Amino acid sequence: MIPPQEASARRREIEDKLKQEEETLSFIRDSLEKSDQLTKNMVSILSSFESRLMKLENSIIPVHKQTENLQRLQENVEKTLSCLDHVISYYHVASDTERIIREGPTGRLEEYLGSMAKIQKAVEYFQDNNPDSPELNKVKLLFERGKESLESEFRSLMTRHSKVVSPVLILDLISGEDELEVQEEVPLEHLPEGVLQDVIRISRWLVEYGRNQDFMNVYYQIRSSQLDRSIKGLKEHFRKSSSSSGVPYSPAIPNKRKDTPTKKPIKRPGTIRKAQNLLKQYSQHGLDGKKGGSNLIPLEGHEHDFRVKHLSEALNDKHGPLAGQELGRATSLPTERLRGRTVPTGRDDILDVETDAYIHCVSAFVRLAQSEYQLLTDIIPEHHQKKTFDSLIQDALDGLMLEGENIVSAARKAIIRHDYSAVLTVFPILRHLKQTKPEFDQVLQGTAASTKNKLPSLITSMETTGAKALEDFADNIKNDPDKEYNMPKDGTVHELTSNAILFLQQLLDFQETAGAMLASQETSSSATSYSSEFSKRLLSTYICKVLGNLQLNLLSKSKVYEDPALSAIFLHNNYHYILKSLEKSELIQLVAVTQKTAERSYREHIEQQIQTYQRSWLKVTDYITEKNLPVFQPGVKLRDKERQVIKERFKGFNDGLEELCKIQKAWAIPDTEQRDKIRQAQKNIVKETYGAFLHRYGSVPFTKNPEKYIKYRVEQVGDMIDRLFDTSA
């Protein structure tokens, strides 16, 4: 049960809350009424506003539409006026640009190309919109005239600014080939930079807008002429420099950069010109078989003595004027040379100059062609570059190939005449062509097959001709018919021997080239490539063949001598000269590739000839040997027959000694060591035999006039033998 007080309080509380709720409800009711009133007022206002807006819209929309139409009309008018101005401008293009086109692009290419662009647009407009209008013909004519002017300007720029490259600059350009150190690349400016940019812009315009390729023909014709003239100028430079100073290159240039490389002449074998001269003389008088005489005239009397003694001594003098020269060649010098007159060698000098010039021209072509291609890539469109370059290099390349073929042709004619001096020019040229071929192939990449095949064809032709020359030389060494007329009376080294050795020595400088020549003719090496070892063996075989042929010919020639001793001296001199020449050069190593015993064989031949020579003294010593001499007892008087035998022995020895010394004094052994060796050996034999004979019979009373028979002391006999092979004695 809730107490009455709490219930009363609770009731009052509920009544208070109810009263408050009623007050709140009354407030809400009043607020709703006010809100309804406000809503009605707002609706009334909005309705009024909507009505007014409808009235305004009905008034404004027609005005707006009319304004919009007016604006559209205004825009159309402006566009029409703009189009009219644009169209009208095309009608004025001809008159506006005619003066510029007439005066040409020289000196104002930018303005000129701008005018050509306007004319181009005018032509396009009239073609599209009014093809029958006279204005079209007018702008077309002006466009063609402008294009012709651009073509003319292109030609003019190329002609005026394309200069021949100077020979000195070309030599500087190719000088890096001979230098071990990396040189700064020599700049080669074909066209000034400003001119080059103008040429590039004109060429691009002609391709893009002119639709004309004639300028490419103009380009290659002008540049082809400059390339050809540059190479010919280099060749002429060699000729003039050599004729005036003997030096093929003189790089004296004012204001030349200090670091600009200078060209050194191509190194050529030191004896090649001597070999050419001697081989030429030899071919004219020895190998052809048609001319029986020789320019090696045997010398008589004092002049002959002078040659054998003093010339051989000069050759053996390390500090003398002839130091280092070949014995055989020196003792075979023509009379004219010994008397101070020199055989003219102008033709061979010219050959050397032409050979050097050709080698340099080949290198120059490669370098200049590379430079031309770099220039061409900036000017000629890419898809026309290879064809244009092919045409550009044709004249210069054909000139080089023609000159090479002329060299081959001259070599072939020389082979027919058995003149091998011209053949020597083929070796350095062929070697250089083969060394340069990789660069050639790279430069000619992309050109026509006929262009690429020109150099390989020339190389093949030179190899064939060189191989023919080598084989022909070997055959002629074997079959040289000269015997009686060309034999040295003193038994010294034959001209055939010295020239054969000289020719083989030239092959040392061109081993790979000569080996490749021989390999190219081998059926087993029909492939384009062959090993260097194979080529070396072929060259070794060839050298052995030449030496074998030479030995057979010398044996045949030696039979011309009636005296077997002189024949032996002749063979000894030639064999010794061959052996020493082989040993002083690399020929002996090359021979040893296929013939291991060559050196020993020559030494045996030399010793055999010495023994043959020594047998010539038997007819002297046989008189005084123990056999057939009378035997007597000391103190017993000799019979007349015994005295006569002793007299005959003394007289026979004396006469034989005098005769041999007189004859053999005129013979020659150029090599001092061999001469002394042979003298000493013979002196020992004769002195020993004569000394024993004189000791036994010198004091025997076999005659009343002993001085008549005992004419020489042992020392005198030795002195007489010491004067053998010495024409000055």
Side-chain angles (χ1 to χ4, degrees), residues 392-654:
L392 189 154
I393 62 174
Q394 283 304 313
D395 287 347
L397 181 59
D398 287 343
L400 284 177
M401 295 303 107
L402 178 60
E403 190 172 349
E405 289 295 341
N406 289 339
I407 293 172
V408 173
S409 178
R412 287 172 181 161
K413 293 177 181 177
I415 293 171
I416 296 175
R417 300 191 308 270
H418 305 304
D419 174 9
Y420 298 96
S421 60
V423 175
L424 292 176
T425 64
V426 173
F427 285 87
I429 291 174
L430 177 57
R431 179 174 66 181
H432 187 70
L433 289 179
K434 296 182 78 172
Q435 290 174 345
T436 313
K437 186 177 181 298
E439 291 182 281
F440 247 98
D441 293 340
Q442 184 178 4
V443 170
L444 301 182
Q445 187 177 4
T447 58
S450 59
T451 302
K452 294 178 182 177
N453 292 333
K454 288 181 179 180
L455 181 64
S457 297
L458 179 59
I459 290 176
T460 301
S461 180
M462 284 192 172
E463 283 187 332
T464 303
T465 302
K468 176 67 170 62
L470 292 176
E471 292 301 324
D472 196 59
F473 182 81
D475 292 340
N476 279 279
I477 289 292
K478 180 179 180 180
N479 301 320
D480 171 36
D482 258 356
K483 294 180 181 178
E484 182 176 356
Y485 296 103
N486 200 32
M487 294 299 292
K489 291 185 178 181
D490 54 5
T492 188
V493 178
H494 196 278
E495 185 184 20
L496 175 70
T497 302
S498 61
N499 284 295
I501 294 298
L502 279 172
F503 187 85
L504 294 180
Q505 286 174 341
Q506 306 315 306
L507 301 184
L508 290 176
D509 297 298
F510 306 100
Q511 292 186 39
E512 294 183 6
T513 304
M517 283 180 178
L518 297 170
S520 67
Q521 306 305 304
E522 291 291 316
T523 54
S524 60
S525 62
S526 57
T528 56
S529 61
Y530 29 79
S531 67
S532 58
E533 186 63 29
F534 175 69
S535 299
K536 189 174 183 180
R537 291 187 65 83
L538 283 179
L539 184 58
S540 175
T541 301
Y542 171 77
I543 293 175
C544 291
K545 177 182 177 180
V546 172
L547 293 175
N549 291 349
L550 177 61
Q551 185 173 343
L552 291 174
N553 201 315
L554 291 173
L555 285 171
S556 176
K557 290 182 184 300
S558 68
K559 297 176 182 178
V560 172
Y561 296 111
E562 296 179 358
D563 191 335
L566 181 56
S567 177
I569 290 297
F570 171 77
L571 291 176
H572 164 272
N573 285 333
N574 282 270
Y575 290 156
H576 184 264
Y577 172 77
I578 293 172
L579 178 60
K580 288 300 180 183
S581 298
L582 294 178
E583 290 177 337
K584 288 179 180 178
S585 63
E586 297 178 8
L587 280 173
I588 193 66
Q589 289 89 347
L590 202 53
V591 168
V593 173
T594 54
Q595 183 58 264
K596 304 292 185 184
T597 61
E599 185 175 359
R600 184 180 67 188
S601 177
Y602 273 111
R603 295 191 185 281
E604 291 174 355
H605 289 322
I606 292 170
E607 189 60 35
Q608 181 182 354
Q609 298 309 318
I610 293 175
Q611 293 174 6
T612 302
Y613 162 75
Q614 289 175 341
R615 284 197 290 271
S616 69
W617 283 83
L618 291 177
K619 63 182 180 181
V620 176
T621 56
D622 276 352
Y623 282 105
I624 57 176
T625 54
E626 291 289 339
K627 63 180 181 177
N628 300 325
L629 286 175
V631 179
F632 61 91
Q633 295 295 329
V636 179
K637 185 178 180 179
L638 295 175
R639 295 191 296 259
D640 291 341
K641 183 178 181 181
E642 292 173 338
R643 287 196 298 271
Q644 187 62 32
V645 170
I646 295 173
K647 290 178 182 179
E648 290 176 355
R649 295 295 183 265
F650 268 107
K651 186 177 186 302
F653 172 79
N654 292 335

Side-chain angles (χ1 to χ4, degrees), residues 20 22 58 66 235 282 305 315 333 384 390 438 462 469 485 532 610 613 635 693 700:
Q20 290 177 356
E22 286 177 351
N58 291 333
Q66 186 177 6
K235 183 177 179 181
Y282 169 53
D305 297 343
L315 287 166
L333 287 174
H384 292 286
D390 196 343
M462 284 192 172
Y485 296 103
S532 58
I610 293 175
Y613 162 75
F693 176 77
V700 174

Side-chain angles (χ1 to χ4, degrees), residues 154-155 158-159 162 213-229 372 376 380 387-396:
F154 182 88
R155 179 189 295 272
M158 292 299 301
T159 303
S162 291
Q213 298 180 5
D214 292 342
F215 78 94
M216 299 180 196
N217 296 332
V218 172
Y219 177 84
Y220 89 71
Q221 289 170 0
I222 294 174
R223 294 309 307 171
S224 175
S225 174
Q226 300 303 327
L227 175 61
D228 190 41
R229 289 170 59 193
E372 287 291 344
L376 177 143
I380 304 300
K387 182 179 179 181
T388 304
F389 180 71
D390 196 343
S391 301
L392 189 154
I393 62 174
Q394 283 304 313
D395 287 347

Side-chain angles (χ1 to χ4, degrees), residues 274 306 310-311 313-325 330:
K274 301 174 187 176
F306 170 83
H310 294 285
L311 185 56
E313 290 178 355
L315 287 166
N316 287 279
D317 182 2
K318 294 181 180 180
H319 305 287
L322 299 179
Q325 294 191 20

Side-chain angles (χ1 to χ4, degrees), residues 56 101 117 185 373 378 423 473 509 515 631:
L56 181 59
I101 300 303
E185 184 177 354
Y373 189 77
D378 293 330
V423 175
F473 182 81
D509 297 298
V631 179

Side-chain angles (χ1 to χ4, degrees), residues 83-119:
C83 289
L84 286 173
D85 290 339
H86 183 67
V87 170
I88 292 172
S89 68
Y90 289 129
Y91 286 86
H92 295 287
V93 165
S95 59
D96 292 341
T97 59
E98 184 175 7
R99 182 183 60 82
I100 297 175
I101 300 303
R102 183 176 64 252
E103 293 176 355
T106 304
R108 51 175 180 180
L109 181 61
E110 189 71 29
E111 181 183 5
Y112 192 89
L113 291 179
S115 298
M116 288 299 295
K118 293 178 182 179
I119 297 172

